[in-house]
Amino acid sequence: MIYIGIDVGGTFTDFVVEKEGEPPLYFKTASTPGDQSMGVMQGLEDVADSLGFSVSTLLDKTSLIIHGTTVATNTLIEKKGAKVGLITTEGFRDLLEIREGFKEDRYNLRMDPVDPLVPRYLRHAVDERVRRSGEIQTPIDEAELERVVDTLIGEGVTSIAVCFIFSYLNPSHESVVSDLIEKKCPGIYHTSSYHVLPQIKEYDRLSTTVVNAYVGPVYSRYLSHMKTQFEDKGFDKEILTMKSNGGVSAIEDATQMAVHAILSGPAGGVAGAAAYGRMVGEENLFGFDMGGTSTDISLIERGDPHITTDRYEAGWKIAAPMIDIHTLGAGGGSVGYVDDGGTLHVGPQSAGATPGPASYGLGGTDPTVTDANVVLGFLSPNNFLGGRKVLESSLAEQAIQDRIATPLGLPMDAAAYGMVQVVNTTMAEGIRLLSVRRGVDPRKFALLAFGGAAGLHVCQVARHLQIRKVFLPAPAPVLSAFGLLKTDLKYDYSKSCISSLDRVDLDQVRRITQEMAEEG
């Protein structure tokens, strides 16, 4: 049987194909940002052609497909999510803007406030209250609730988030809202905080729930569309999708918990790095994933990646468990430019898949890291994507000459080398910052490189950090897709039990733990 891992990145879509008893096969194809499923289907055709099959024959021989994608992440970052309405407790309408009382970067005096994902006119408070004991103090006014739901529907919302105070102790009022929404408008996407994050800390719960409601409709439509395309080609077996916690889940579960797909693509790479570390007996690693758009850095200690429940993405807090990944705006497609003061910068802007680096010959004129590597001879123009694409050296030279070399008064080769040095330093400092913050000495860790561009830069980055051991595995350019096939089903459950440690009721703790185990 055949197993296929598919990782959809910002620039390329990667495939790893495993056949029992044979070495894995690796493939890349250009991503299609307008409809990422098109890139997936094109890649399947490339895989089938290389194996001498039709796509339908390939899928007939395939028993499992695992898929990771940037759809949820891009939806949040690019602010292209659903029109969300929020229903919350009276007095808490503005918590989404008040947040925790401070900015994400609290010492940055020039940091602008983040625009709320739900504008104030779509945030409605209803008269209800659950006490901190879980007892109902004020029953929910169902007539008022019905008016609120009608108002939101009249405003054209496509998703509704529900988050009441202390609902993690007693979710009955949120259940009433969910039942009413399903009765009045059964097709609309809706999400309750009790299902997304049933634990203490009101803003964490609210923010995570709203992010889920914001990206959920887009992500679920994408998964449904992709699944339909597979079914149209005769594939009726399991499709699993990657989650940010390093595990996978069924599509039906993923559509309801879209917030768990934020950073699901990079999480596949970290899972692959951890699996490769176990294979070579190296438990302490930095995952160094340099792709076309960005570089993702992760810390793997004692064989397991660090997990966080305190992450901001696009300015919004996500308290669901996620692999701790530090993202830098430095990739093969990162654009170099000279500012008004005559200083060379590289990134965070990226040329992406379209038009891409100047050397792609697709109309791009900005000089990128890829173009610099072509000019310096580090990247062979005739062997890109295994020879399926020829890079235009003359266009790379022209872009760097016009935008970098001439403004700086440098020879073209020196300008290209300067671009590479700037991006290497940026990535090394990112790794140093990630490790020192966690009390880790980077010199005692190995560096495992993956992603399409990492092999060109990993040695220089390691020298900056005085790291003496570097791994560049065979599946490095597609390690995120490789990692999808090396992970397992993983579901996280949490509940809050509030107690002083000197009075904790161990029987209650055991009961809660048992309930979560049974739910799992």
Side-chain angles (χ1 to χ4, degrees):
M1 296 303 292
I2 294 175
Y3 307 90
I4 302 177
I6 306 171
D7 175 61
V8 182
T11 306
F12 290 105
T13 297
D14 300 338
F15 294 77
V16 171
V17 180
E18 290 192 349
K19 298 173 67 177
E20 292 180 1
E22 297 183 19
L25 303 174
Y26 312 127
F27 301 87
K28 269 184 182 288
T29 190
S31 294
T32 50
D35 180 359
Q36 290 190 350
S37 63
M38 291 175 59
V40 171
M41 293 301 145
Q42 178 59 53
L44 281 177
E45 291 184 10
D46 294 342
V47 172
D49 288 344
S50 71
L51 296 174
F53 299 148
S54 65
V55 173
S56 58
T57 301
L58 171 66
L59 293 177
D60 185 58
K61 294 177 177 292
T62 300
S63 61
L64 177 66
I65 292 175
I66 303 181
H67 169 262
T69 177
T70 57
V71 166
T73 312
N74 292 344
T75 299
L76 181 61
I77 292 174
E78 297 170 7
K79 298 293 188 291
K80 294 181 179 179
K83 185 176 183 180
V84 180
L86 172 64
I87 301 175
T88 189
T89 304
E90 184 65 53
F92 290 82
R93 180 183 182 187
D94 294 316
L95 180 61
L96 200 63
E97 289 188 80
I98 296 171
R99 300 159 75 90
E100 295 168 297
F102 52 80
K103 298 176 290 186
E104 178 186 349
D105 186 358
R106 65 190 73 182
Y107 300 116
N108 183 351
L109 300 180
R110 295 180 176 85
M111 185 177 183
D112 293 326
V114 180
D115 292 331
L117 295 177
V118 186
R120 197 170 194 272
Y121 80 98
L122 294 177
R123 303 197 300 262
H124 289 265
V126 296
D127 190 20
E128 69 84 38
R129 194 57 181 253
V130 173
R131 296 177 61 85
R132 64 175 183 172
S133 63
E135 297 177 76
I136 294 176
Q137 174 178 309
T138 305
I140 193 166
D141 186 335
E142 295 195 32
E144 178 193 16
L145 175 62
E146 191 162 351
R147 287 194 298 272
V148 166
V149 172
D150 287 339
T151 299
L152 290 175
I153 299 304
E155 292 287 356
V157 301
T158 55
S159 180
I160 297 177
V162 185
C163 183
F164 291 146
I165 299 301
F166 293 117
S167 62
Y168 65 90
L169 295 174
N170 184 343
S172 59
H173 286 175
E174 289 193 358
S175 296
V176 170
V177 181
S178 295
D179 292 343
L180 179 62
I181 293 171
E182 290 178 2
K183 177 182 176 182
K184 295 184 72 68
C185 38
I188 197 168
Y189 191 96
H190 62 94
T191 184
S192 300
S193 71
Y194 181 75
H195 291 111
V196 174
L197 194 73
Q199 65 187 48
I200 197 171
K201 299 188 76 172
E202 188 61 29
Y203 175 69
D204 287 18
R205 201 156 45 89
L206 173 64
S207 179
T208 306
T209 302
V210 167
V211 169
N212 192 70
Y214 186 74
V215 303
V218 176
Y219 187 57
S220 60
R221 280 197 302 272
Y222 166 75
L223 291 179
S224 177
H225 177 56
M226 185 190 67
K227 185 178 180 182
T228 298
Q229 288 190 300
F230 274 106
E231 289 173 346
D232 289 345
K233 294 183 180 298
F235 187 77
D236 57 358
K237 294 182 276 294
E238 191 76 82
I239 300 177
L240 302 177
T241 186
M242 189 69 186
K243 301 199 297 184
S244 308
N245 65 1
V248 295
S249 68
I251 282 182
E252 291 73 16
D253 298 327
T255 56
Q256 297 303 312
M257 292 294 185
V259 70
H260 291 170
I262 303 293
L263 298 183
S264 74
V270 181
Y276 190 84
R278 290 191 292 270
M279 288 169 56
V280 298
E282 194 71 46
E283 292 189 331
N284 296 325
L285 296 164
F286 288 112
F288 173 63
D289 177 8
M290 186 178 180
T293 307
S294 62
T295 295
D296 296 315
I297 302 163
S298 54
L299 182 59
I300 299 167
E301 199 168 10
R302 300 184 185 90
D304 293 317
H306 282 206
I307 300 291
T308 182
T309 56
D310 185 20
R311 182 183 178 88
Y312 284 86
E313 191 67 30
W316 292 100
K317 193 170 187 180
I318 299 174
M322 310 171 71
I323 290 179
D324 194 5
I325 299 172
H326 184 53
T327 301
L328 303 171
S334 293
V335 174
Y337 64 97
V338 179
D339 66 18
D340 293 339
T343 301
L344 174 62
H345 300 267
V346 180
Q349 299 86 359
S350 173
T354 305
S359 55
Y360 278 19
L362 299 177
T365 57
D366 291 324
T368 67
V369 174
T370 295
D371 296 318
N373 282 319
V374 170
V375 167
L376 294 170
F378 297 158
L379 189 59
S380 171
N382 298 318
N383 197 35
F384 195 70
L385 285 179
R388 288 186 288 119
K389 183 176 182 63
V390 176
L391 300 179
E392 301 287 343
S393 301
S394 60
L395 295 178
E397 293 169 357
Q398 188 67 48
I400 291 176
Q401 181 65 52
D402 292 347
R403 304 291 182 90
I404 308 296
T406 299
L408 291 177
L410 293 173
M412 184 181 58
D413 288 354
Y417 185 68
M419 289 180 62
V420 170
Q421 287 294 88
V422 167
V423 78
N424 287 341
T425 302
T426 298
M427 294 184 293
E429 286 303 309
I431 294 174
R432 183 177 286 115
L433 189 62
L434 176 74
S435 56
V436 171
R437 278 180 175 174
R438 288 155 179 76
V440 169
D441 183 348
R443 295 171 298 182
K444 297 180 180 179
F445 278 62
L447 190 60
L448 190 142
F450 55 103
L456 294 168
H457 297 265
V458 62
C459 291
Q460 287 293 333
V461 171
R463 289 190 181 103
H464 276 291
L465 296 166
Q466 299 179 45
I467 290 175
R468 300 180 63 84
K469 187 182 290 187
V470 167
F471 291 97
L472 187 63
V478 294
L479 198 72
S480 291
F482 175 83
L484 300 179
L485 298 176
K486 302 302 177 185
T487 186
D488 206 342
L489 291 168
K490 184 177 180 182
Y491 290 80
D492 293 299
Y493 297 91
S494 63
K495 288 187 179 179
S496 292
C497 178
I498 305 167
S499 173
S500 170
L501 283 179
D502 60 354
R503 295 193 301 272
V504 66
D505 183 347
L506 291 179
D507 289 335
Q508 182 186 16
V509 172
R510 292 188 186 99
R511 184 168 61 254
I512 292 173
T513 303
Q514 182 61 31
E515 288 172 357
M516 288 192 290
E518 291 173 358
E519 187 178 2

